[in-house]
Amino acid sequence: MPESEQKLIHTFSALADIGQEVAHKYNFHEMIRTSFHLLLGSLAIMRGGIARYSRFGHELNFLAVRGLGDDFPVSASIDPADEREFLTAGMSAIEASQAKMLIFFQRYQPFVEKRGIELIIPMIVHDELVGLVMLGEKASGEPFNSADRAIVQAMARHIGVGIYQRNLLAELERKAEQNRRLYEEMRLTYADTVKSFAAAIDYKDKYTEGHSVRVGKYSELIAKSLGWSDERVEGVAVAGYLHDVGKLTVEKRIINSPTRINAKESAELSKHPVVGYDILLPIHHPYTDVPLAAKYHHERLDGRGYPDGLKDDQIPYIAKIVNLADSFDAMTTNRPYKARRPAHEVIEDLQRNSGKQFAPELVTAMFEGMLDELEGGSEDKSFRRLLGREYMEAEGIIPMLRNALNGINATGPLTLVASE
Amino acid sequence: MSNSAQAEIRREGETAVVYANEYLNKITGEKIERECRDKIAQGCSRLLVSFRDTEIVNSIGISILLGVIDAASGANAEVVFTDVNPDTAHLFETLGLSRHARIVTA
Ligand SMILES: [Fe+2]
């Protein structure tokens, strides 16, 4: 094979390989090292280096070097004037001997001269300086001719694209991380807002202190027992926290009346679900159905609830959960006109009203959650925390819950199993 | 015996003998350069790179051999490429590696 032809094939193979390398290597540093070998090996260049440019720090960081000595700096700062100079030069190789006007060159001249750097090639992609290639002498001792320059420029362009892609990816990852954090912050802010709303609602009603917060927690426990995802459980909890937000507009005197209220006052109080809906509707909630839960949390399966007297399958599922949680809390706490009822009575009541007021599968889910906690199946102690240990561990509760679970017909005539 | 999975290097007094095999042409060939640097640090004054089992040398291979030459020149050690086939010898000649290493054809 003629000498020139063999050399040409060798060089062009390197150029082809570098294209493959940049396009297909997923490991950035391996891609850089392989490309560096291909670049040096294509023309048998004795020494050199590839540096990535950081626009933020205005510095070059060397990713690969060969034969530049141990004292060669791993990073080097670049003056903005140099950056402009490199951008003007474009991708063309700059002779080290003609680069003396660069501040960069003046700063690092001892290294460049001592190590016999002959060519400096700025890597520019989309009008952006992404790095620099430095090349020393060829093994043959011959100077770089115009064909040689064309080759190394083409290879440097490939490497530059590889670095540019990596920068884009890093930027994308940074943005995604930023978004994730922002979303997390918003979620926390939302959760805080919800909690302070719940506190504001409960503050108005001195006899049912902590009611909204407890309804939130019971709703959460029911949804968990149904096996819902964390996000949906969170949504149900929020609906519980906010279900009585409409009470903020009801006169404090009516809410806090120590005796049973009259018909007019009752009518005033029963507006709170719709008022709550109106308050919550314009707010952008990260979860669906929060306003609907407020509007329909006093509806009953048998159609005897308010405000619309909806029946079973017309009632949004989330409202059924909040309704059960709300009633459960009303039964298990002291009210001005009624003392808290013992656990066995509450269980009986829920069982009896299952299919009339409450969705049977929700009562089942709640009982299962309680039983799971009492029998030590779960680490959770929420029911005991909310109701008190003595109350929850009253004699005969466990067999009663088991019995109740056997007795409830989860697909009673009035109930459609939720299509969740 | 040749083994393409890892660099084969052995030491005979002042001389280190390394077999280039095929992996010289891949990034894994960097191991050859590292081993040669180690042997020089241990006092070898002669590096013998055998191309007995090497058909062709690509650009990565050339770069790695330049690394071996660089390692040797820092310690004034001699580099010899042995069992080189005529085509590869020709390539070494053309690219100028013959100015830095003695080439012994097969
Ligand atoms: Fe309510």
Side-chain angles (χ1 to χ4, degrees):
Chain A
M1 194 183 318
E3 185 177 298
S4 58
E5 193 179 313
Q6 189 193 24
K7 192 176 161 190
L8 214 61
I9 290 170
H10 172 81
T11 308
F12 275 98
S13 309
L15 187 58
D17 287 350
I18 214 168
Q20 287 285 320
E21 193 60 34
V22 170
H24 299 297
K25 244 322 150 28
Y26 295 111
N27 181 327
F28 177 70
H29 287 277
E30 198 171 299
M31 180 278 282
I32 289 290
R33 274 188 12 248
T34 308
S35 302
F36 184 54
H37 283 305
L38 287 167
L39 176 57
L40 295 186
S42 65
L43 297 173
I45 299 161
M46 301 291 282
R47 59 196 89 251
I50 295 178
R52 181 182 185 176
Y53 180 56
S54 157
R55 268 199 299 166
F56 304 104
H58 290 290
E59 62 175 16
L60 286 174
N61 297 297
F62 280 88
L63 303 171
V65 284
R66 143 83 52 78
L68 298 182
D70 295 335
D71 53 349
F72 194 81
V74 281
S75 67
S77 57
I78 280 211
D79 200 86
D82 287 342
E83 188 180 341
R84 280 195 296 278
E85 197 62 48
F86 286 136
L87 286 171
T88 314
M91 285 293 296
S92 43
I94 302 169
E95 296 268 359
S97 56
Q98 287 164 17
K100 300 222 159 72
M101 75 296 184
L102 294 175
I103 300 168
F104 166 77
F105 189 86
Q106 286 157 14
R107 198 176 291 150
Y108 297 101
Q109 189 177 17
F111 293 104
V112 172
E113 272 179 7
K114 186 170 146 204
R115 301 300 169 189
I117 297 295
E118 293 191 5
L119 290 181
I120 297 169
I121 309 167
M123 288 184 281
I124 292 157
V125 182
H126 291 311
D127 297 325
E128 212 180 275
L129 180 67
V130 296
L132 221 59
V133 169
M134 290 187 183
L135 298 174
E137 81 274 19
K138 296 200 301 184
S140 64
E142 294 159 2
F144 286 90
N145 61 30
S146 59
D148 293 343
R149 281 157 190 260
I151 286 288
V152 292
Q153 276 166 209
M155 292 178 99
R157 180 180 288 280
H158 277 295
I159 299 169
V161 168
I163 295 176
Y164 184 79
Q165 279 170 348
R166 167 71 174 199
N167 291 349
L168 277 186
L169 197 68
E171 176 72 0
L172 217 64
E173 277 166 1
R174 202 178 58 79
K175 286 249 168 74
E177 173 59 20
Q178 219 172 36
N179 272 351
R180 202 194 54 73
R181 242 184 266 155
L182 202 66
Y183 173 77
E184 185 63 17
E185 267 168 37
M186 273 165 61
R187 215 177 53 84
L188 290 177
T189 308
Y190 176 82
D192 284 349
T193 310
V194 165
K195 279 180 189 148
S196 47
F197 254 92
I201 302 159
D202 293 345
Y203 180 75
K204 216 175 167 184
D205 188 344
K206 69 175 179 188
Y207 290 111
T208 58
E209 202 193 343
H211 170 68
S212 298
V213 173
R214 284 192 303 272
V215 172
K217 301 247 191 243
Y218 290 131
S219 303
E220 180 181 332
L221 289 169
I222 297 166
K224 265 191 191 160
S225 183
L226 286 168
W228 285 9
S229 68
D230 289 352
E231 201 188 305
R232 293 179 67 208
V233 168
E234 226 170 272
V236 174
V238 166
Y241 279 119
L242 296 177
H243 76 287
D244 265 349
V245 71
K247 279 192 181 167
L248 285 173
T249 64
V250 179
E251 253 185 84
K252 206 168 173 171
R253 183 184 54 79
I254 299 174
I255 297 175
N256 288 324
S257 169
T259 54
R260 287 202 180 272
I261 49 179
N262 64 37
K264 195 176 159 233
E265 288 165 337
S266 175
E268 171 75 16
L269 185 62
S270 58
K271 281 184 196 158
H272 82 271
V274 175
V275 173
Y277 176 78
D278 290 341
I279 292 173
L280 294 173
L281 195 62
I283 300 171
H284 178 78
H285 302 273
Y287 320 100
T288 53
D289 297 348
V290 172
L292 286 176
K295 186 170 183 179
Y296 295 122
H297 75 275
H298 284 296
E299 295 288 0
R300 297 167 49 103
L301 256 57
D302 55 17
R304 293 170 53 217
Y306 67 97
D308 293 343
L310 298 182
K311 283 197 170 172
D312 189 4
D313 59 342
Q314 299 170 313
I315 306 168
Y317 203 68
I318 193 167
K320 292 181 187 174
I321 297 179
V322 174
N323 173 271
L324 175 60
D326 187 21
S327 308
F328 182 78
D329 186 60
M331 289 188 255
T332 54
T333 48
N334 291 315
R335 296 283 158 126
Y337 41 84
K338 209 173 193 179
R340 147 192 235 202
R341 293 160 63 190
H344 68 90
E345 253 185 68
V346 174
I347 294 167
E348 265 169 22
D349 190 301
L350 294 182
Q351 211 180 343
R352 199 172 45 248
N353 283 303
S354 170
K356 296 186 188 120
Q357 179 179 350
F358 311 118
E361 80 265 27
L362 295 183
V363 176
T364 301
M366 190 165 196
F367 285 173
E368 277 171 351
M370 285 176 170
L371 203 58
D372 211 29
E373 191 181 311
L374 285 172
E375 291 184 322
S378 82
E379 290 285 294
D380 206 336
K381 292 191 168 53
S382 301
F383 280 109
R384 263 169 291 193
R385 250 202 311 275
L386 288 159
L387 293 159
R389 199 189 171 92
E390 259 169 57
Y391 186 89
M392 268 303 277
E393 292 177 0
E395 223 187 296
I397 295 295
I398 293 178
M400 213 180 157
L401 284 170
R402 280 219 200 96
N403 226 355
L405 282 171
N406 286 332
I408 296 170
N409 181 1
T411 50
L414 271 170
T415 305
L416 294 172
V417 175
S419 57
E420 294 288 338
Chain B
M1 236 196 89
S2 75
N3 177 356
S4 59
Q6 64 178 75
E8 204 180 310
I9 192 159
R10 104 190 120 76
R11 190 175 166 180
E12 291 165 8
E14 299 278 276
T15 305
V17 185
V18 56
Y19 292 87
N21 296 338
E22 311 85 58
Y23 61 84
L24 173 73
N25 292 325
K26 296 177 219 137
I27 191 79
T28 45
E30 284 182 343
K31 196 169 184 324
I32 293 178
E33 189 185 328
R34 274 197 300 277
E35 300 249 16
C36 286
R37 282 188 195 276
D38 284 351
K39 289 289 174 288
I40 286 169
Q42 288 163 23
C44 282
S45 60
R46 205 153 167 256
L47 288 174
L48 228 116
V49 183
S50 168
F51 291 80
R52 195 187 62 192
D53 303 313
T54 310
E55 193 67 36
I56 53 159
V57 178
N58 71 4
S59 287
I60 296 177
I62 295 290
S63 171
I64 284 165
L65 294 174
L66 290 172
V68 171
I69 290 169
D70 182 62
S73 72
N76 284 321
E78 189 196 3
V79 181
V80 185
F81 296 156
T82 65
D83 301 313
V84 183
N85 68 39
D87 268 354
T88 304
H90 202 157
L91 184 69
F92 288 168
E93 197 80 37
T94 317
L95 292 172
L97 269 70
S98 48
R99 295 176 69 226
H100 307 272
R102 193 145 60 84
I103 296 173
V104 182
T105 46

